[in-house]
Amino acid sequence: MPRAKRGFKRRRRHNKVLDRAEGFVLGRKNKFKRTAEAVDRAFIYAFRDRRAKKRDFRQLWIARLSAAASDNNISYSRMVSALTKAKIKLDRKVLSDIAIADPKGFSAIIDQVRSLAPAQ
């Protein structure tokens, strides 16, 4: 049986990996073995950090809402509880944007639900 040297299929596979390493430096952009390792690791980091980004933004929105709520003399947890009881379906991202862009509007929302907030 003749031996198979892989030919263009190997080149096609290598080029696919090398194309994904655009912007990498030194041997990580042109030596296949090091490039393949770097690309694999980059995919792992990308997968992990897409999820971490969601956590980070939620944390940011909660910190902003907590500051805005304390400016209106209510705690964050009581505000969220009151919003839930009032059946106001605004998520933390939207509430955070309102608190930054339109503080008076945010105060109006807080005043609307303040009576539903749990007693201190």
Side-chain angles (χ1 to χ4, degrees):
M1 178 178 248
R3 84 184 171 125
K5 290 175 60 179
R6 305 229 188 268
F8 81 99
K9 288 187 180 267
R10 172 189 284 178
R11 189 168 55 254
R12 192 164 54 187
R13 186 173 68 93
H14 282 206
N15 285 340
K16 193 188 303 184
V17 172
L18 291 167
D19 287 343
R20 289 177 174 160
E22 184 179 343
F24 290 12
V25 295
L26 302 174
R28 301 175 86 212
K29 69 181 173 204
N30 55 12
K31 292 176 176 54
F32 176 74
K33 188 173 180 180
R34 292 192 62 201
T35 301
E37 291 168 354
V39 167
D40 287 346
R41 177 151 301 162
F43 282 145
I44 290 168
Y45 285 144
F47 181 86
R48 180 196 70 186
D49 291 340
R50 278 195 299 274
R51 276 129 193 90
K53 185 167 85 168
K54 292 169 181 57
R55 288 193 298 269
D56 292 343
F57 270 104
R58 183 179 170 97
Q59 191 175 19
L60 173 68
W61 298 328
I62 289 173
R64 287 176 176 173
L65 285 174
S66 180
S70 66
D71 288 345
N72 287 288
N73 300 321
I74 189 170
S75 71
Y76 168 78
S77 61
R78 286 194 172 87
M79 178 193 72
V80 171
S81 174
L83 287 168
T84 305
K85 286 180 185 171
K87 294 187 169 66
I88 295 178
K89 302 270 186 187
L90 294 175
D91 62 5
R92 286 160 181 80
K93 177 183 178 180
V94 172
L95 283 169
S96 173
D97 289 343
I98 292 171
I100 291 171
D102 184 17
K104 290 182 182 176
F106 185 77
S107 295
I109 293 171
I110 297 297
D111 293 337
Q112 183 180 355
V113 299
R114 191 178 295 278
S115 63
L116 298 173
Q120 292 184 1

